[in-house]
């Protein structure tokens, strides 16, 4: 296993958990949202505003496909699961973990979905976004970890246990 891929909704803790997990596994940490922002020198919300959701999803897929990850914990954007080619690439020789968080908890964690840079249809609610993505998260995950009532450290410990089981 070369990489650990974290997928899930915005606010699930992918970046926070990813940094801590990378430290425990002696891996690099990569946030695909930051790769996109770096390539375009703009915030995700500005990219979405200027180019639209569909174009943003294409950009996200392309940036992931163009990037090389090895011995990395990769925190994906919440919409990365819409990019089939990107997910195929990410899953190759990796453990993919779905950080599952209850919608009510996500609403507490996210102050403003419009400034967060979330790829969504105009006027969508967090519940609608969750419903639209849930099956894709489950499809691509090697395992789901319910993080709703866990601290970031507890999530890291559970993922590390799974990695140890796999690596023997």
């Amino acid at each position: 296993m070369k990489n650990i891929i974290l997928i899930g909704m915005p606010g699930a803790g992918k970046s926070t958990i990813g940094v801590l997990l990378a430290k425990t596994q002696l891996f690099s940490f990569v946030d695909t949202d930051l790769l996109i922002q770096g390539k375009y020198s703009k915030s995700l919300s500005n990219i979405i505003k200027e180019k639209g959701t569909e174009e943003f999803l294409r950009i996200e897929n392309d940036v992931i496909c163009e990037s090389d990850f090895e011995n990395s914990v990769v925190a994906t954007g919440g919409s990365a699961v819409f990019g089939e080619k990107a997910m195929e690439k990410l899953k190759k020789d990796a453990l993919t973990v779905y950080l599952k968080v209850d919608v009510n908890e996500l609403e507490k964690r996210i102050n403003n979905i419009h400034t967060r840079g979330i790829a969504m249809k105009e006027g969508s609610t967090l519940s609608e976004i969750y419903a639209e993505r849930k099956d894709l998260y489950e499809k691509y995950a090697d395992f789901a970890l319910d993080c709703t009532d866990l601290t970031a450290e507890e999530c890291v410990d559970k993922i590390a246990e799974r990695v140890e089981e796999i690596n023997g």
Side-chain angles (χ1 to χ4, degrees), residues 60-137:
E60 183 174 43
N61 188 68
D62 290 351
V63 167
I64 291 170
C65 287
E66 293 163 3
S67 301
D68 289 317
F69 310 106
E70 195 161 329
N71 297 320
S72 297
V73 173
V74 180
T76 62
S79 56
V81 291
F82 290 118
E84 195 172 326
K85 284 191 170 97
M87 290 308 300
E88 284 173 15
K89 177 188 174 118
L90 288 169
K91 284 189 62 65
K92 191 174 182 207
D93 201 18
L95 173 68
T96 304
V97 182
Y98 167 26
L99 301 181
K100 192 174 179 180
V101 176
D102 176 276
V103 176
N104 295 326
E105 179 62 25
L106 290 172
E107 286 174 348
K108 290 178 199 168
R109 294 181 187 187
I110 297 173
N111 296 324
N112 187 340
I113 63 173
H114 302 290
T115 58
R116 181 82 186 233
I118 299 172
M120 61 187 193
K121 293 180 185 91
E122 190 73 32
S124 292
T125 66
L126 208 50
S127 293
E128 291 167 338
I129 297 165
Y130 181 79
E132 182 181 31
R133 297 177 180 184
K134 182 178 168 293
D135 290 344
L136 289 171
Y137 294 140

Side-chain angles (χ1 to χ4, degrees), residues 148-162:
T148 302
D149 296 319
L150 299 177
T151 66
E153 290 82 4
E154 289 169 327
C155 291
V156 168
D157 290 344
K158 291 189 180 298
I159 296 167
E161 285 172 16
R162 184 60 65 103

Side-chain angles (χ1 to χ4, degrees), residues 25 27 31 44-45 53 55 73 119 122 124 127 129 131 140 155:
Q25 298 299 305
F27 275 19
D31 184 320
L44 296 181
S45 57
T53 301
E55 180 63 10
V73 173
E122 190 73 32
S124 292
S127 293
I129 297 165
Y140 288 115
C155 291

